[in-house]
Amino acid sequence: MVDPSQMHAEGPNGGPVDLPVDLDALSPEQRDEFGAGILALDPVGRVLTCNRAAGALCGLSPDAMIGRNFFRDLVPSAHVPGFYGRFLGSQRRALTDQAFEFVFGRVPAPLRARIGLRAGANGCTWLTISPLEQIAAGPSREAVLAAISQRSRAEPVDPSLCEREPIHIPGSIQPNAVMLAADAATLEILAFSANAADVLAPELFPPSGLSLEAVLPGEIVSAIRDGLAAHTLTDGRLLRRTLALPPREERFHLVAHAHLGRVIVELELAPERPEDFLTASPLDAELAMMRLRAAETLTEAAQIAALEIRAMTGFESVLVYRFDLDWNGEAIAEDMVPDWQRPLIGLRFPASDIPAQARALYTKAKSRFVIDRDCVPVPLVADRSAGNAPIDLTFAQNRSLSPIHLEYQRNLGVDGSMSISIMVENRLWGLMIGHHRRPHYVAPETRAAATVLTDAFAMRVQEIEGKALWSERQRHLDVQGRMVRGLTRSDDFVASLTQGNPTLLDLFGATGAGIVSDEAVCLVGATPDEAAVRALADWLRETLPPGETTFVTDTLVLHHAPASAYTEIASGLLAAFVGTSRQHLLFWLKPEVPSTVTWGGDPRKPVLPGSGPVAVLPRRSFERWIEERRGHSTPWATWKVALAAQLADAVDGVVLRQRRKIDELTGLLADKERLLEQKDLLTREIDHRVKNSLQIVTAFLHMQRRQIADPEARQAFSETSARVMSVARVHDSLYQGESMEQVDLGQTIQTLCNDLAGMTGDEHSVELTAEPGLMVPYRHAVALSLITTELVTNAFKYAGRPDKGARISVTVAGEAGAVRLRVCDDGEGMPPGWENAKAQGTGLGMKLIRAMLDQIGARLDVENADGACFTVHA
Ligand code: BLA
């Protein structure tokens, strides 16, 4: 009989001596008497025998454990290098008396235990588990559990409370690693994880005032120093090394980085051989990369990435999760084991599931791996001399995750997990998420390979999206270029943008568009009616904050209630005012796309009330929650808004230019009118004076004539007087008429004939037939008046007979845009042979006629009818 009270004593090598050396010799009953768990495992870890205490530790009856794999099925959190790895190693070297400490997160309660491994008969291995300490879950996990058990607050809860948790300073790390934090200048150790002494020389802990040099190999410390000096350890850049540590000379991965004046060193036991754990080789990564490169579409690339990363890491499910512009997200690809009936693909999740501070951290730090959701985090112990400033673990590999989020994982049925940031154009585009229903260890090389592959996926996304975006933008720039060219050639920007080719409808995938310019509304495509558009423009004028010129929404009705009348054609609005005056508005519309969105849980209640320090908790149900979406259009990309603003600017240029041109022309016109008015007055005045002067000359000639006895001279005076008068008449007409240039010919000739008749006394008569309102240019009027004067006075001279005077008829008529002037008398007619003499035109009268005809390009016909008849065609 063995005394169980000996259980906690230790042997010389740190191995348990309380248990008999030869466990093979004990009967099952004897083994049941021990408080320590005793199990015999076959070479792959299957349970061959198992005592009562071991059953109790696992929460199962011993019989139920027989035949099951201890590391895969019963205690998967032990499937790590520090336990399963050592189990394999001890078999390989046929070591006995291997002993180490291990903390079980939940078996069924958290427990620190001493593990013993020793070779048994028939190739089996004895595994002993000696409990050392029941431990608490850790303060934050306990707080979450307390908050769950006593939900007291009333709903609704503010999801933004999630953002308050300072996840970068959790004060603890995951138990798979050991951490040291030192001053970056002196390398003095400021804090260490409580498990540091398990790995590093225990006698040095707590390392009061010690430097890293005291606990790490000199070669590594100088590499850290060099990295610090060269600034190659900041902003997520790491120093990676492997080293063997005494006393067992086990291989550890060391990762060091600097952040905010500290050097943080993390040590993690490495698998002894890659094949002990699923470990990715560079070849795997390369092949996966090639497949990814061949993907043509985003969906295809996401599927390949999920599949390859799952194959590499061994997670039961890998999801590609994509954020939208509001940070809600959707699982766009998923690769998972067939027996897990929990598809998340196509589901949307509200932004509060991954709150802002977490997204900010994930933008900086690439990846998170959680082996065991229910592990007990190892606290960071600050060296007494170092004060209590928390250590910022933003870039630490083994930071313990938010207990609230771990509760979320529990609700989702996830234990081991991974999330790797997918960064596209420096923005957190999404996450590559790994899920496992049980604890799940991923070897360091595999983590690195999965991170590289995720980066490759991000680059492929950038290429695919970039290419699509580029060609769409290119098309838009082309359309916009043509529009702006059209604008510069047109003075009417509204017509140019709505009637030409292209029109506003060729931009932004809009189905309706238009311009509200002052009070005019011009619409193209499918739009609400004018009144509704005007009301929309008025609303925008009033509500858009000063200084802003654009407005964009994919849910217009939420902003502008009257839009409910036309959601079908206009749920999306992109509007851009031309200039700051808001006088003209360009706008584009998109129709409603009624759709259903399937959420992973009710998005209106993403959080549940907690209590105490934990104010909010994750929702418990991820049941599909289907939202009927009405009043939504497809979203507008931000570059389209920028392009719309540019177009409005171009219009502003054209409208302004137009306005300036109109102002200029109006000014010129006014000047010209003023000048014309002045000229008009002046001309009238001149005409008036000319007429007066000519009348004076005529009167003077009359007077002279009376004093002359010689009949021939008298006649000459008469004729000259008549000529001068005829010119005076024209000026009189000009002075009285409305126009400065045009003269009423009939009226002028009428007064002229009256004057001529008056001058000859009663023996002759002149009859006039004139077409009223026949306007001719001033020059023509002068010429025709002079010609008339000559012909009429001529007739007085030659057609008159002593018994009766001459009867002269004058006709003025329009003739197909020209003028016909005819002077006929009732005399003897032209003497025989006049045809020959006519061309010479002897005498002053005839010379004058000829000169006048030439001046106005007119022609004279002469014929003998009842008397002589002269016709001028002018
Ligand atoms: C973090 N939330 C996360 C992370 C994911 C999700 C992937 C990254 C951490 C990780 O690697 O696991 C959410 N996981 C999802 C979603 C899917 C998934 C959406 O698989 C869908 C496929 N979360 C809440 C509430 C709070 C909250 C109510 O639901 C806060 C009150 C917080 N989530 C929260 C916090 C983190 C987080 C604080 C950061 C965890 C950390 O890095 O410490």
Side-chain angles (χ1 to χ4, degrees), residues 554-629:
D554 53 10
T555 45
L556 180 58
V557 69
L558 289 188
H559 304 271
H560 180 59
S564 61
Y566 50 79
T567 40
E568 273 174 27
I569 44 173
S571 280
L573 168 70
L574 168 54
F577 278 111
V578 174
T580 45
S581 67
R582 301 195 174 172
Q583 209 178 346
H584 316 287
L585 177 75
L586 312 182
F587 66 90
W588 292 264
L589 301 169
K590 281 201 289 191
E592 175 185 43
V593 256
S595 62
T596 52
V597 178
T598 313
W599 295 85
D602 183 346
R604 295 167 309 175
K605 294 179 198 154
V607 294
L608 295 173
S611 67
V614 182
V616 274
L617 289 164
R619 63 186 177 285
R620 272 179 295 181
S621 165
F622 289 88
E623 277 294 297
R624 290 169 165 258
W625 195 93
I626 297 186
E627 183 193 9
E628 289 261 1
R629 288 228 303 197

Side-chain angles (χ1 to χ4, degrees), residues 159 161-163 165 167-168 319 321 329-331 342 344 347-350 352-355 357-359 361-362 367-370 399-406 408-409 412 414 417-420 431 433-435 606-608 615-619 622:
L161 285 171
C162 289
E163 301 178 356
E165 190 187 349
I167 59 171
H168 61 299
L319 298 154
Y321 187 78
E330 185 182 342
R342 186 224 51 176
L344 295 179
L347 294 190
R348 286 180 81 80
F349 298 83
S352 54
D353 281 17
I354 308 172
Q357 87 283 30
R359 297 190 305 261
L361 192 148
Y362 301 169
S367 66
R368 293 138 293 282
F369 284 83
V370 172
R399 175 177 64 88
S400 58
L401 263 52
S402 154
I404 299 178
H405 170 58
L406 296 175
Y408 178 96
Q409 299 285 62
L412 205 53
V414 171
S417 68
M418 145 194 109
S419 72
I420 307 178
L431 293 172
I433 298 178
H435 283 168
V607 294
L608 295 173
V616 274
L617 289 164
R619 63 186 177 285
F622 289 88

Side-chain angles (χ1 to χ4, degrees), residues 707-730:
Q707 286 161 12
I708 290 172
D710 175 25
E712 233 173 86
R714 275 175 70 102
Q715 179 65 23
F717 264 98
S718 262
E719 284 168 9
T720 308
S721 157
R723 281 171 198 140
V724 173
M725 200 170 54
S726 70
V727 177
R729 282 296 159 218
V730 176

Side-chain angles (χ1 to χ4, degrees), residues 17-30:
V17 290
D18 50 335
L19 293 169
V21 176
D22 189 5
L23 289 169
D24 292 307
L26 297 180
S27 70
E29 292 74 25
Q30 284 174 316

Side-chain angles (χ1 to χ4, degrees), residues 150-158 161 607-611 615-616:
Q150 33 174 302
R151 286 178 221 275
S152 56
R153 297 165 37 148
E155 290 191 67
V157 207
D158 179 4
L161 285 171
V607 294
L608 295 173
S611 67
V616 274

Side-chain angles (χ1 to χ4, degrees), residues 2 190 242 259 322 387 439 515 517 590 818:
V2 181
L190 304 175
T242 53
H259 187 47
R322 179 186 188 166
I515 300 175
S517 174
K590 281 201 289 191

